[in-house]
């Protein structure tokens, strides 16, 4: 993997804020109304019961402001770095003042959206269906977002951003959860997730894993090929028996884990000093580690990988919906989507963004246009009782069950 320069900071990666700050939240249900969104597409979780909400039918007069809930690094106005600002011009041209609130984890984002205080949120796939089911977000009218036409088709109308053929958001960016290892301490070079599961003992006490209930899907993905008799077809659609197998695998792994990570700086340091030699990572973290001369490599294992595709969603209780739509269209426009992708460290969702990146190699490094690569990525999708793999003869485990299981794993 080619080493590249990375314009990033601790504030520009998902998950870091949640490790250093506690956030008080309210748990209020959301609701809203408008007109139907454009139906279509395949892969939506059919049969999922959702509130009867409608999408905005047309834009009105901008309301003067928009309250944005976002991953750190997605909405920069120059306050963190004067050179990093894609908000100020939007405010001037639209008349919509952007009020920014960042969050550190998907769980935090879900709780904050339930307050009804935010007009739009950049939700990852482990949050989207929870927001939809609770009525905290409403369908989107994609015809009101002109730049939607240039979003990669492979990201549209998917199980994490649509339900029953109705769009609930606009894709923003994507990335894979990769396997990183110390090239001097892990030999031969691994090509399978088995290196952190069944063969984890070879690096006893030096394995790392992502600290989130959604990591259960990584174990499930590995079991799809390691134990095909379990019948796992979708790592986010696990019945009780399949979830139990994934939990058992993760409990066995824990004996070899040095640290569960959510702060990328800690992961980089651990790989540099050798206290961690192998585990899950993101491309941008591998780039940072290599930039700091750590002897590491990151690969997409032969089983494929989990990953994320983030979605801009509209709050059901939003009182600034015209500004919200204008903001979303701005944020996924080619130039801005390129700026965010480089700053945050991911592949842009707008296919025209690759022509706008400052680093001409950015899209190549992050596989932005490589659909063969991303065809091996199982994007985060909220586990729900209605099996996402289409089964109707069993009930699948939902995210609340996964959260309880993750606590059990971490405390085992």
């Amino acid at each position: 993997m080619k080493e590249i320069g990375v314009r990033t900071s601790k504030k520009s990666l998902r998950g870091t804020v949640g490790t250093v700050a506690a956030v008080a939240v309210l748990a209020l249900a959301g609701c809203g109304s408008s007109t139907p969104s454009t139906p279509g597409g395949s892969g939506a979780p059919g049969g999922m019961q959702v509130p009867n909400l409608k999408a905005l039918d047309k834009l009105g007069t901008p309301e003067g402001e928009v309250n944005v809930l976002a991953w750190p690094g997605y909405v920069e106005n120059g306050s963190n770095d004067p050179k990093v600002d894609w908000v100020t011009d939007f405010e001037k041209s639209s008349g919509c003042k952007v009020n920014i609130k960042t969050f550190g984890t998907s769980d935090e984002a879900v709780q904050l959206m339930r307050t009804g205080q935010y007009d739009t949120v950049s939700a990852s796939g482990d949050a989207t269906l929870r927001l939809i089911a609770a009525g905290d977000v409403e369908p989107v009218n994609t015809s009101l977002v002109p730049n939607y036409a240039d979003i990669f088709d492979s990201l549209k109308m998917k199980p994490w951003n649509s339900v029953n053929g109705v769009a609930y958001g606009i894709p923003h960016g994507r990335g894979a959860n990769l396997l990183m290892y110390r090239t001097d301490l892990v030999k031969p070079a691994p090509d399978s997730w088995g290196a952190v599961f069944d063969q984890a003992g070879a690096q006893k006490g030096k394995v790392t894993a992502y600290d989130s209930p959604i990591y259960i899907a990584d174990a499930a993905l590995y079991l799809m090929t390691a134990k095909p008799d379990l019948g796992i077809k979708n790592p986010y659609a696990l019945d009780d028996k399949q979830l139990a197998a994934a939990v058992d695998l993760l409990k066995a792994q824990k004996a070899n884990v040095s640290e569960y990570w959510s702060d990328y700086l800690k992961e980089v340091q651990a790989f540099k000093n050798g206290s961690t030699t192998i585990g899950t990572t993101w491309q941008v973290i591998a780039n940072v580690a290599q930039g700091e001369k750590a002897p590491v490599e990151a690969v997409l294992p032969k089983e494929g990988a989990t990953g994320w595709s983030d979605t801009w969603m509209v709050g059901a209780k939003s009182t600034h919906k015209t500004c919200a739509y204008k903001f979303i269209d701005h944020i996924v426009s080619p130039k801005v989507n390129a700026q965010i992708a480089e700053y945050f460290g991911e592949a842009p969702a707008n296919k025209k963004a690759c022509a706008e990146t400052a680093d001409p190699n950015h899209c190549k490094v992050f596989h932005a246009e490589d659909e063969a690569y991303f065809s091996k990525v199982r994007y985060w999708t909220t586990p729900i009782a209605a099996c996402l793999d289409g089964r109707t003869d069993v009930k699948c485990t939902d995210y609340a069950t996964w959260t309880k299981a993750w606590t059990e794993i971490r405390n085992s």
Side-chain angles (χ1 to χ4, degrees):
M1 181 172 58
K2 182 179 179 181
E3 178 182 317
I4 65 170
V6 179
R7 290 190 296 130
T8 189
S9 69
K10 188 172 182 179
K11 291 186 177 181
S12 67
L13 284 170
R14 74 187 65 232
T16 57
V17 177
T19 65
V20 296
V23 180
V25 296
L26 301 175
L28 302 176
C31 59
S33 63
S34 283
T35 48
S37 78
T38 306
S42 60
M48 178 179 168
Q49 297 300 308
V50 298
N52 185 26
L53 303 177
K54 307 296 182 180
L56 193 67
D57 60 345
K58 63 180 179 180
L59 298 181
T61 301
E63 301 89 353
E65 64 179 339
V66 59
N67 298 318
V68 178
L69 188 60
W71 285 110
Y74 272 7
V75 187
E76 294 295 316
N77 61 7
S79 58
N80 289 320
D81 183 341
K83 297 179 181 179
V84 182
D85 182 1
W86 44 84
V87 168
T88 301
D89 286 346
F90 167 77
E91 291 179 323
K92 292 177 180 177
S93 63
S94 68
C96 302
K97 183 180 184 299
V98 179
N99 304 312
I100 307 165
K101 169 70 174 178
T102 59
F103 58 85
T105 67
S106 287
D107 289 349
E108 186 181 334
V110 169
Q111 294 300 322
L112 288 170
M113 280 302 291
R114 286 178 181 165
T115 68
Q117 297 174 14
Y118 301 96
D119 302 300
T120 183
V121 58
S122 63
S124 291
D126 55 337
T128 50
L129 296 189
R130 285 186 280 167
L131 293 171
I132 294 169
D136 296 322
V137 295
E138 65 187 31
V140 295
N141 186 340
T142 59
S143 67
L144 299 181
V145 184
N147 283 298
Y148 183 74
D150 296 320
I151 299 295
F152 285 104
D153 290 339
S154 60
L155 295 177
K156 296 178 179 178
M157 301 303 297
K158 295 302 178 180
W160 59 89
N161 59 31
S162 69
V163 175
N164 300 328
V166 177
Y168 274 83
I170 307 298
H172 168 93
R174 57 179 167 173
N177 297 316
L178 303 174
L179 176 64
M180 185 159 74
Y181 62 97
R182 281 277 300 243
T183 56
D184 57 336
L185 300 175
V186 179
K187 296 182 179 180
D191 66 352
S192 166
W193 287 113
V196 296
F197 289 123
D198 291 336
Q199 293 90 48
Q203 297 294 322
K204 185 173 178 60
K206 295 188 176 182
V207 176
T208 191
Y210 187 51
D211 192 3
S212 170
I214 205 67
Y215 182 65
I216 291 172
D218 290 57
L221 181 141
Y222 173 66
L223 290 173
M224 288 172 67
T225 53
K227 292 187 176 181
D229 56 304
L230 287 169
I232 300 175
K233 303 301 182 184
N234 181 323
Y236 307 101
L238 306 180
D239 59 34
D240 288 334
K241 179 181 178 181
Q242 293 165 339
L243 177 64
V247 169
D248 287 346
L249 184 64
L250 289 165
K251 285 182 177 178
Q253 180 198 52
K254 190 187 176 189
N256 302 299
V257 170
S258 56
E259 184 177 16
Y260 292 97
W261 70 272
S262 59
D263 183 332
Y264 92 98
L265 291 179
K266 289 183 179 179
E267 188 183 29
V268 169
Q269 186 59 38
F271 271 95
K272 284 176 64 178
N273 64 31
S275 60
T276 291
T277 59
I278 193 167
T280 54
T281 196
W282 300 323
Q283 183 68 61
V284 65
I285 298 175
N287 294 344
V288 172
Q290 289 180 330
E292 295 186 12
K293 308 305 180 183
V296 298
E297 195 67 71
V299 297
L300 182 72
K302 61 185 180 182
E303 299 91 354
T306 60
W308 75 87
S309 170
D310 291 343
T311 302
W312 283 103
M313 311 184 87
V314 176
K317 281 191 172 182
S318 168
T319 55
H320 311 106
K321 288 181 182 174
T322 292
C323 279
Y325 270 84
K326 286 182 173 292
F327 172 79
I328 293 172
D329 189 52
H330 170 75
I331 219 76
V332 299
S333 62
K335 184 176 181 180
V336 175
N337 203 221
Q339 289 176 299
I340 298 171
E342 287 194 278
Y343 184 71
F344 185 86
E346 64 183 355
N350 190 313
K351 54 192 173 187
K352 291 184 177 179
C354 290
E356 301 287 346
T357 57
D359 178 358
N361 291 317
H362 178 86
C363 281
K364 181 178 180 180
V365 170
F366 287 86
H367 305 275
E369 300 169 301
D370 188 348
E371 295 299 349
Y373 176 90
F374 278 111
S375 70
K376 302 174 185 176
V377 176
R378 300 279 188 144
Y379 297 107
W380 284 345
T381 307
T382 313
I384 59 175
C387 294
L388 296 170
D389 59 6
R391 285 180 293 169
T392 58
D393 57 335
V394 296
K395 184 178 180 180
C396 279
T397 52
D398 61 14
Y399 190 80
T401 305
W402 282 38
T403 300
K404 182 179 179 181
W406 185 246
T407 300
E408 181 183 327
I409 292 163
R410 296 285 271 110
N411 293 335
S412 63

